[in-house]
Amino acid sequence: MAATAIGIFRLNADAWVRGFLAIAVLYLVTSAFTLAKVIRDRQEAGQIASRVDQTRMEKLLSEHDPFEKP
């Protein structure tokens, strides 16, 4: 990001063009962070659901007695 900022600053263009490019870079960076957070949150939610299902299965298996007569 620093290299991009230096490149935009040193660009031989009008100030409004450099400003537009700077805002576009900021938009891209914030979008990338937001996307990464959404993907991480979805992955963590899937892991939590998997853990709950695994805990239920372990509880059922621990309570099951194969030698018990009905």
Side-chain angles (χ1 to χ4, degrees):
M1 191 167 153
T4 305
I6 291 170
I8 290 172
F9 179 72
R10 295 179 53 107
L11 186 66
N12 189 12
D14 292 336
W16 68 271
V17 173
R18 289 192 307 248
F20 176 80
L21 292 173
I23 290 175
V25 167
L26 289 175
Y27 175 74
L28 289 172
V29 169
T30 57
S31 296
F33 277 109
T34 303
L35 178 62
K37 184 183 181 317
V38 168
I39 291 171
R40 185 197 65 203
D41 290 347
R42 284 190 178 185
Q43 182 181 11
E44 286 177 356
Q47 288 175 349
I48 291 172
S50 175
R51 285 187 203 153
V52 169
D53 291 340
Q54 184 179 7
T55 304
R56 284 183 188 157
M57 184 62 73
E58 287 175 0
K59 182 181 177 195
L60 286 172
L61 289 174
S62 68
E63 292 175 350
H64 176 69
D65 183 10
F67 300 111
E68 181 182 316
K69 291 185 178 181

